[in-house]
Amino acid sequence: MRLHSLTLRNFRGVKDRTVRLPALGTTVVVGDNEVGKSSLVEAFALIFDFPDDSKSTRVRDIQPVGQDVGPEVTAELTLGGRELTYTKRWLKNRSTELAVVESDGRRTAWTGREAHNEAERLFHEYVDPVLWQTLMVSQGQSLVLPTPADAEPLITAVTAESGTPVDGASMPLVSAVEHEYLRYWTRGGRATGDYARSEKAVAAAELQAAQALKAMEEVQQDIRRAERLTLDLADVDTRLSEHLSTVEEVRERKQATDEILLRRDSIRSRAETARARLENHTRTRIERERLLEEVERFTKIDAELAERRTDADTVAKAAAETVQAAEAALAEVIELKDVRRTDAQDAERRVSQLMDQAELERLLGQQGELIDVRARIVAAAAILDKIKVDDALVAALEDARSAVVEARAALAAGVPEVLVRRLGAEPVELSGKGVEPGSGRMPKELGFDESTELLVSGELTIGVPGQIEVTVRAGGEAATLRSRVDDAVRREKELLKKAGVKDVAAARDQLRKADTASAELQEARRTEKSLTSAGDPGERIAVLTARLGVDEEDSEQSGGKQAAVEGVPGQMSLFEEFASPLDTLFDDFELPEAPVDDLAAAQRALDEARTELGVVERLLTDAEFAAQQARKAADEDRSDAQQARARSEIAGERLAAAVDALAVARKLLDDEAVTAAETEATAEVEAVLEELTVVQEQADAAGADQVAGELADALSVATRMQGERDTLRDALRTTEGRLEQSGRDGLATRRDVAELELAAVRTEHESLQRRAEAARRVYETLGRHRAEAQTRYSEPLQTRIEALGRSVYGPSFKVWLDDDLAVAEREMDGVRLPIEALSTGAQEQLAIITRLAISHLVSTGDGSVPVIFDDALGWSDKARLRDMGALLGRAGDHGQVIILTCMPDRYEYVPKATFIKLDG
């Protein structure tokens, strides 16, 4: 086969292209990637493999995407000495055309499926499929070494060249044996042709004979079935006649009892009516009772909610007044804070002025300071002797105070809290026991617009003489809580008495005073030591007086004016620190009052101003908290009042609705009439039930209720027996019809004919089977001997491969072939390696050399085909490319070599090559 030209239209990305190829020589088709080089090989394969009406995926894939066109391929080639022009279009406007020009010039044309069949026949007649697949190397398969042992043209060529016949069997004999084998068997060993049809004919004859025999057996069964059905039908007729007489007797009994049942049904209807009337009257009575109960219940609820509403409004009003009072107190505290802040600022300015003056006079008061320090030592020692408080006693007092607070908190949470305010002119008197006032003592009587808060753990009596007296009593747990409070208070008083103070704060103050006095004593002693360490200050004063010319008397007078040296910065005013209007511990001491311009007095004034400012700030915080709590309580009380008002209004609406519903019901029927109607309906129901009882006894005596069931059962049995009789009649008719038809069909004759046909088919099949087995034995024997002979005639292919390979690798190149005529090992320079151990480039080069050797061997016969390489020599270095190029050029002298590539530089060393450039 020689390929002369290929034309592609609308084939994948190719719009219209024609490539003409020389019949002899090496042709290099060059083109960029995706220009359609591989499509040439694919198109040549598709044109012989698929008819124009094929729906194969391979055919659909070659249609350009998004274009409604039909892919078309035209091939011009020489095949078996004939020149073929073969055109085929798929999918759109399908067509197939084949024109054949014989060697003598005769021209024949075919179209459609006939053209496809003729082209397929010629291709398979002159092109060996194994050889074609061996010499056509697709893209990416250049490394695969061929195994051409099954290529018939190659076997013929090597046999002819070696001169070694296959055990005296010529190729025509081999073809004849294979042809005879394929008459009976497929290549896979399954039966085919006349032999397979004979097997099917035997199976069909066996089936037909079995069916005829089965039909005769069914006739015998039908005869026995007809006899049995006749007897069963006679028996059913007899039983049906007897049962129909029984049905008539039951029907007469039913007619006699129908009158009683009609009268009973009438009375039952009256009873149902009376019962329904009684149920209506009963529902009316129950509904009337419900309305009366709702009116009573809603009246009570309305009264309770009205009372709650009044109480809630009162509480909300009182809460609003509390908020106003708290906000007024808050405003007063804010104003007082501004005043105290101004006083503190004035005192700070005064202290600053006096400290500056004391610094100027400090040297003049040095001698008086020593006298004052010694006095302070005496005073501090006296104070420490008077104080009885220590750290342990203060800790015990704090624990006792915490116990009192916890007990009173528990008492406040567990007993009622009563707020009493006098609003009118009448006096309000308070008395009782177990009453804990919120602050101060419980007054006996409240003045106008005066109020008090009380925790009642026992009993409290609030009275307005001549008008009202209210007694509040606590629960049983209050006594226990009260006892805990009393014990805690008693313990606290004992500790306070032991410490000689009035409260915990005073004890802490005493402890602080003791610490201060101790520190003052130590500081005074250190000061005394410091003042006398350099000698008596008097001597220094005398020296200074003499030097300055100041009279000693004036100096003494100036020194005598420094009586309040304890106010100097860095020292503490011990006596002013301990001065307190609430503490009488130091009444035995007479402390001099500082003059107005004294620094200590100014410092005390500043401390007092800051203390008062801190008190006012705490009062402000308390006032803000009290106002916030008052607002929160007022909001809650206002919300409670609104909810109480809403509930009261809803209760009033429900009460009005209930009263209206009761009035409407009474207009229709009063309460006495409802009871009377129910009594009358009850009597009517009882009378109807007595009459129904009498009629039911009559029906029971006559068995009226059972007669209808007995008649229904009897009719059901009769219907079933009639159906059984009809079924038996139909079955008997069907069976008799089959017997009559069997007599007309001649089943016995059919059975005899089927048995004779089966014997004849079996005889013919056994003859074919003997011939088929003989053909298979001859074919297998010949194939075995041919395989053995292949080892003897592989020498021509091996010699041709080595001859081509030495032009590339040198004179030491040798190869060894396996049983499939594939290259198994290669030797160079005395080194013998299996093919798998060679480099990728060496494997690819050896695969190309092998295919060229095969092509050279078969190039002179009609079975030759072109050698096609798609993108080969991609693994070779430049030296090997030069040698392989020369080899490819020489290969073109004996046949047609077609190379497809996107890298033309690889084939620049191919001599006499024809280059064809494909544009995109």
Side-chain angles (χ1 to χ4, degrees):
M1 181 183 73
R2 292 291 182 265
L3 182 60
H4 302 301
S5 71
L6 273 175
T7 300
L8 279 62
R9 296 183 182 91
N10 300 318
F11 194 100
R12 293 193 184 275
V14 179
K15 181 67 175 177
D16 190 350
R17 172 179 296 143
T18 299
V19 177
R20 300 194 177 277
L21 304 168
L24 192 66
T26 302
T27 304
V28 181
V29 180
V30 181
D32 296 336
N33 291 328
E34 300 184 0
V35 79
K37 301 185 301 298
S38 299
S39 297
L40 296 173
V41 180
E42 182 183 11
F44 187 75
L46 291 178
I47 196 173
F48 286 99
D49 290 344
F50 295 98
D52 56 20
D53 58 352
S54 174
K55 304 298 183 183
S56 172
T57 304
R58 291 180 60 189
V59 173
R60 291 197 300 270
D61 288 345
I62 65 176
Q63 185 181 32
V65 178
Q67 300 182 32
D68 188 16
V69 294
E72 181 179 340
V73 177
T74 299
E76 295 180 3
L77 65 155
T78 299
L79 193 61
R82 299 175 176 87
E83 294 182 2
L84 280 67
T85 301
Y86 190 22
T87 302
K88 184 175 290 184
R89 187 186 305 116
W90 294 273
L91 302 176
K92 187 76 172 177
N93 299 324
R94 295 180 286 106
S95 67
T96 303
E97 298 176 358
L98 174 63
V100 179
V101 179
E102 301 288 345
S103 58
D104 56 4
R106 288 184 294 110
R107 180 182 178 86
T108 309
W110 290 268
T111 60
R113 180 52 69 100
E114 293 180 352
H116 172 79
N117 294 338
E118 181 64 17
E120 186 178 27
R121 184 189 68 80
L122 291 173
F123 186 81
H124 288 121
E125 181 178 353
Y126 293 104
V127 176
D128 183 78
V130 177
L131 183 62
W132 171 245
Q133 294 298 326
T134 300
L135 299 185
M136 184 181 68
V137 182
S138 301
Q139 191 173 28
Q141 296 182 344
S142 61
L143 298 177
V144 179
L145 270 75
T147 55
D150 294 331
E152 195 65 36
L154 177 62
I155 301 301
T156 303
V158 296
T159 301
E161 187 166 334
S162 64
T164 304
V166 185
D167 287 346
S170 63
M171 293 309 298
L173 175 60
V174 174
S175 300
V177 170
E178 183 177 3
H179 181 267
E180 183 66 16
Y181 173 80
L182 294 177
R183 283 183 59 193
Y184 306 106
W185 308 96
T186 64
R187 294 190 184 275
R190 296 190 302 273
T192 186
D194 295 339
Y195 183 48
R197 287 191 293 273
S198 176
E199 286 183 342
K200 293 180 181 178
V202 171
E206 290 176 348
L207 178 61
Q208 188 174 1
Q211 290 176 348
L213 181 61
K214 183 178 180 183
M216 285 300 298
E217 292 176 354
E218 290 178 352
V219 169
Q220 296 297 328
Q221 293 177 0
D222 286 342
I223 294 172
R224 291 190 294 271
R225 188 182 297 109
E227 294 173 353
R228 186 176 64 255
L229 290 174
T230 303
L231 295 175
D232 292 343
L233 182 60
D235 179 64
V236 170
D237 284 337
T238 302
R239 289 189 287 111
L240 180 59
S241 300
E242 294 174 355
H243 184 71
L244 289 177
S245 62
T246 302
V247 171
E248 290 301 325
E249 293 176 0
V250 176
R251 184 178 284 111
E252 292 175 357
R253 285 176 55 202
K254 184 176 183 302
Q255 291 175 355
T257 58
D258 283 345
E259 183 180 354
I260 298 175
L261 294 178
L262 288 174
R263 189 165 65 254
R264 186 186 64 180
D265 292 341
S266 176
I267 295 174
R268 280 180 176 174
S269 178
R270 288 167 48 204
E272 292 294 333
T273 304
R275 197 176 285 114
R277 188 180 300 110
L278 174 60
E279 290 176 357
N280 290 334
H281 289 301
T282 302
R283 282 195 296 270
T284 302
R285 176 182 58 79
I286 293 173
E287 179 65 17
R288 185 62 52 84
E289 291 175 353
R290 185 187 66 80
L291 290 174
L292 291 171
E293 182 183 355
E294 281 190 352
V295 169
E296 181 179 358
R297 180 164 56 87
F298 286 146
T299 301
K300 183 177 180 182
I301 292 173
D302 182 64
E304 293 176 354
L305 292 177
E307 183 178 355
R308 292 181 185 177
R309 175 179 177 177
T310 302
D311 295 342
D313 290 340
T314 302
V315 171
K317 183 177 180 181
E321 295 175 354
T322 302
V323 170
Q324 294 177 358
E327 291 179 347
L330 177 61
E332 293 177 359
V333 173
I334 291 173
E335 183 178 355
L336 181 59
K337 178 183 176 181
D338 294 338
V339 174
R340 292 292 181 264
R341 184 184 293 110
T342 302
D343 294 342
Q345 292 173 352
D346 295 340
E348 288 175 353
R349 286 192 295 270
R350 182 59 182 165
V351 166
S352 178
Q353 294 174 358
L354 291 178
M355 287 177 65
D356 294 339
Q357 181 179 354
E359 179 63 20
L360 294 175
E361 297 176 353
R362 182 178 61 81
L363 293 175
L364 297 176
Q366 185 72 28
Q367 188 175 18
E369 183 179 357
L370 179 60
I371 298 172
D372 181 66
V373 166
R374 289 171 178 167
R376 284 163 54 200
I377 292 173
V378 174
I383 291 173
L384 289 174
D385 291 339
K386 291 282 186 178
I387 293 176
K388 302 177 181 179
V389 178
D390 55 13
D391 293 336
L393 187 57
V394 171
L397 279 171
E398 289 176 346
D399 293 340
R401 178 76 260 178
S402 298
V404 171
V405 172
E406 291 176 359
R408 284 178 175 170
L411 180 65
V415 301
E417 181 179 3
V418 179
L419 173 63
V420 183
R421 178 186 292 275
R422 176 177 171 182
L423 301 176
E426 298 296 330
V428 177
E429 298 178 351
L430 302 176
S431 63
K433 60 181 179 179
V435 179
E436 183 78 8
S439 60
R441 334 180 20 259
M442 183 184 73
K444 297 295 184 180
E445 183 176 338
L446 294 178
F448 179 76
D449 199 25
E450 185 179 2
S451 63
T452 184
E453 293 182 4
L454 304 173
L455 293 176
V456 181
S457 59
E459 181 178 291
L460 170 66
T461 301
I462 305 169
V464 178
Q467 294 187 13
I468 189 172
E469 182 178 279
V470 179
T471 301
V472 180
R473 297 188 181 89
E477 189 180 3
T480 303
L481 298 175
R482 185 67 211 180
S483 175
R484 289 175 56 189
V485 173
D486 294 338
D487 293 342
V489 171
R490 187 181 307 108
R491 171 63 178 165
E492 183 183 28
K493 288 182 178 179
E494 291 174 357
L495 292 174
L496 291 173
K497 183 176 180 182
K498 180 179 178 180
V501 294
K502 65 175 183 177
D503 54 16
V504 176
R508 293 194 195 99
D509 189 60
Q510 288 281 17
L511 184 61
R512 183 179 62 80
K513 291 176 180 179
D515 294 338
T516 303
S518 177
E520 183 75 14
L521 179 61
Q522 296 176 5
E523 178 66 22
R525 286 175 177 169
R526 285 195 299 271
T527 303
E528 180 184 22
K529 185 176 180 181
S530 175
L531 293 174
T532 58
S533 61
D536 189 3
E539 296 178 357
R540 296 178 61 196
I541 292 173
V543 173
L544 292 174
T545 301
R547 185 188 305 164
L548 297 175
V550 180
D551 293 339
E552 186 174 356
E553 183 179 354
D554 295 337
S555 176
E556 290 177 358
Q557 290 177 358
S558 299
K561 294 179 181 179
Q562 308 301 322
V565 293
E566 67 272 10
V568 175
Q571 298 177 351
M572 299 182 62
S573 179
L574 178 65
F575 307 110
E576 287 296 325
E577 180 68 30
F578 287 175
S580 173
L582 303 176
D583 193 355
T584 58
L585 180 62
F586 308 109
D587 291 344
D588 296 338
F589 297 95
E590 294 182 1
L591 301 178
E593 295 184 1
V596 178
D597 292 336
D598 189 11
L599 178 60
Q603 185 67 44
R604 285 194 296 272
L606 176 60
D607 293 342
E608 291 175 358
R610 288 176 175 172
T611 301
E612 291 177 357
L613 179 60
V615 171
V616 172
E617 288 177 347
R618 287 193 294 274
L619 290 176
L620 178 59
T621 302
D622 295 340
E624 289 176 346
F625 179 75
Q628 181 181 2
Q629 293 297 318
R631 295 189 194 98
K632 182 178 179 182
D635 292 340
E636 293 176 354
D637 293 339
R638 190 183 307 108
S639 177
D640 293 341
Q642 292 175 353
Q643 293 178 2
R645 190 178 301 109
R647 288 194 292 269
S648 176
E649 292 175 355
I650 293 172
E653 293 175 357
R654 289 182 176 177
L655 175 60
V659 171
D660 293 341
L662 180 61
V664 171
R666 282 176 172 171
K667 286 182 180 179
L668 298 176
L669 196 65
D670 59 18
D671 298 344
E672 295 178 357
V674 170
T675 304
E678 184 182 16
T679 303
E680 182 181 352
T682 301
E684 182 181 359
V685 169
E686 292 174 352
V688 175
L689 290 178
E690 290 177 359
E691 186 177 357
L692 179 61
T693 302
V694 174
V695 175
Q696 184 63 44
E697 291 176 354
Q698 295 176 0
D700 293 341
D705 292 330
Q706 290 77 18
V707 172
E710 292 175 1
L711 179 59
D713 294 341
L715 291 174
S716 176
V717 172
T719 302
R720 179 179 57 79
M721 294 177 69
Q722 289 174 352
E724 184 179 355
R725 181 189 61 184
D726 295 340
T727 302
L728 290 173
R729 283 178 179 174
D730 294 341
L732 182 59
R733 293 193 190 100
T734 303
T735 304
E736 290 175 347
R738 284 203 304 271
L739 289 173
E740 183 178 357
Q741 182 66 33
S742 299
R744 289 196 298 267
D745 291 344
L747 293 179
T749 303
R750 287 175 54 193
R751 180 192 60 187
D752 297 339
V753 171
E755 290 177 351
L756 291 174
E757 290 180 353
L758 176 60
V761 170
R762 280 179 175 171
T763 301
E764 182 181 358
H765 176 67
E766 290 172 356
S767 176
L768 284 173
Q769 188 175 21
R770 287 192 297 271
R771 292 198 298 270
E773 291 296 334
R776 181 166 63 178
R777 285 194 295 273
V778 172
Y779 178 78
E780 291 176 351
T781 301
L782 183 59
R784 186 172 62 256
H785 287 290
R786 288 186 66 204
E788 293 173 356
Q790 282 181 352
T791 59
R792 294 194 296 272
Y793 58 70
S794 62
E795 182 180 356
L797 178 60
Q798 180 178 352
T799 302
R800 192 60 52 85
I801 294 174
E802 290 178 348
L804 296 176
R806 284 171 184 150
S807 65
V808 177
Y809 297 106
S812 64
F813 175 79
K814 292 183 181 180
V815 294
W816 280 265
L817 306 184
D818 59 15
D819 294 340
D820 293 329
L821 300 182
V823 177
E825 296 178 345
R826 186 206 71 178
E827 180 179 335
M828 281 182 58
D829 299 328
V831 179
R832 185 170 175 175
L833 295 174
I835 294 301
E836 296 78 8
L838 300 180
S839 66
T840 304
Q843 292 184 34
E844 182 184 41
Q845 295 154 15
L846 193 53
I848 294 174
I849 292 172
T850 302
R851 289 183 171 89
L852 294 178
I854 295 172
S855 176
H856 195 182
L857 283 171
V858 301
S859 61
T860 58
D862 292 337
S864 65
V865 295
V867 183
I868 301 176
F869 296 107
D870 189 357
D871 197 18
L873 293 180
W875 307 92
S876 301
D877 56 39
K878 193 162 186 178
R880 289 291 167 80
L881 284 176
R882 181 181 296 106
D883 296 335
M884 290 299 296
L887 180 62
L888 289 171
R890 291 195 301 273
D893 297 338
H894 305 282
Q896 188 179 29
V897 179
I898 302 172
I899 301 173
L900 307 175
T901 184
C902 61
M903 301 290 291
D905 295 344
R906 297 179 187 171
Y907 305 97
E908 63 182 355
Y909 303 108
V910 178
K912 299 181 293 184
T914 300
F915 282 82
I916 299 175
K917 176 66 174 178
L918 300 183
D919 297 326

